[in-house]
Amino acid sequence: MSISIRKAVKEDCPRLMELVEELAVFEKAPDQVTVTMEHFVESGFGPNPVWWAFVAEEDGQVQGFALYYIRYSTWKGQRIYLEDLLVSEAMRGKGMGKLLFERVLQEAKDNNYSGMVWQVLDWNEPAINFYKKYNAVIDDEWLNCTINL
C-alpha cells in the first residue's frame, strides 16, 4: 500500500463531500449535513477561501482528509482549527490518520502558528486514544455553543 498526502484541489470536492457524509453517519448525525456542493467548493476554492485541506490517497483514490482553517485567539494568536480529520472506514488503522494529522501540525509549524485546536466526541474512544499519543490536552471544562441560522 502506497499512501500519499497532498493539498486538496477543487476536483477533490465531490469525494470530500462523500467522506463528509460518511463522517456524519459515523457521528450519528446523517441529517445534519446541509452544505451544498456549490457552497463547499466556493468556500475552499473561490476568490476568498476560508478552509484548506490535505488529502490522503492510496493508489490514486482519496481515502481520507484533514480540513482546517485559521482561527485567532486573543490569548494565543493564530492557530489552526482542525475541523475534520477523517479516514474512510475501510482504510482505518493503516496510518493515514497519523500522516494527515502530522501534516496539519507541520502546516501550523511552517506558518509559525501558536498551535492547533479541534473537537472530539466524548464517546469516540479510538480518536481520543489517538490524540493522547500526541499529548493533546482534552478539555472537559468548556461547553460547545451553536446558533443555526
Side-chain angles (χ1 to χ4, degrees), residues 8 14 17 25 41 50 57 59 67 77 90 96 110 114 119 121 136 145:
M17 285 303 299
V25 170
V41 171
V50 296
E57 287 184 319
D59 293 332
L67 188 144
M96 271 189 187
D110 290 348
S114 65
Q119 296 171 303
L121 290 166
C145 302

Side-chain angles (χ1 to χ4, degrees), residues 2-149:
S2 175
I3 299 171
S4 63
I5 305 296
R6 63 171 173 79
K7 287 191 173 196
V9 296
K10 185 177 182 178
E11 292 74 23
D12 293 321
C13 287
R15 178 63 179 146
L16 295 180
M17 285 303 299
E18 288 174 4
L19 291 169
V20 167
E21 294 287 345
E22 183 178 325
L23 177 61
V25 170
F26 175 78
E27 291 186 353
K28 303 173 181 141
D31 298 329
Q32 297 298 311
V33 179
T34 60
V35 67
T36 65
M37 179 65 72
E38 179 180 83
H39 183 76
F40 185 75
V41 171
E42 179 73 15
S43 296
F45 298 96
N48 299 301
V50 296
W51 65 261
W52 298 267
F54 291 102
V55 297
E57 287 184 319
E58 193 264 332
D59 293 332
Q61 173 71 25
V62 173
Q63 296 289 354
F65 72 94
L67 188 144
Y68 66 94
Y69 55 89
I70 310 309
R71 67 176 290 239
Y72 188 81
S73 165
T74 56
W75 290 11
K76 304 290 185 183
Q78 289 181 319
R79 305 180 76 110
I80 281 184
Y81 186 88
L82 179 60
E83 177 66 23
D84 285 322
L85 173 65
L86 175 74
V87 173
S88 66
E89 188 173 359
M91 297 303 291
R92 291 184 191 144
K94 299 180 182 191
M96 271 189 187
K98 178 182 187 302
L99 292 172
L100 285 165
F101 191 77
E102 290 178 358
R103 181 60 188 91
V104 178
L105 281 174
Q106 188 60 51
E107 186 77 1
K109 291 174 186 174
D110 290 348
N111 287 287
N112 296 314
Y113 300 142
S114 65
M116 184 166 79
V117 295
W118 66 94
Q119 296 171 303
V120 61
L121 290 166
D122 62 358
W123 54 261
N124 191 345
E125 287 296 323
I128 291 168
N129 292 332
F130 172 81
Y131 297 135
K132 284 181 177 178
K133 292 177 186 175
Y134 291 89
N135 296 317
V137 176
I138 299 176
D139 188 340
D140 60 1
E141 184 178 9
W142 290 86
L143 302 176
N144 294 312
C145 302
T146 302
I147 295 175
N148 293 319
L149 303 176

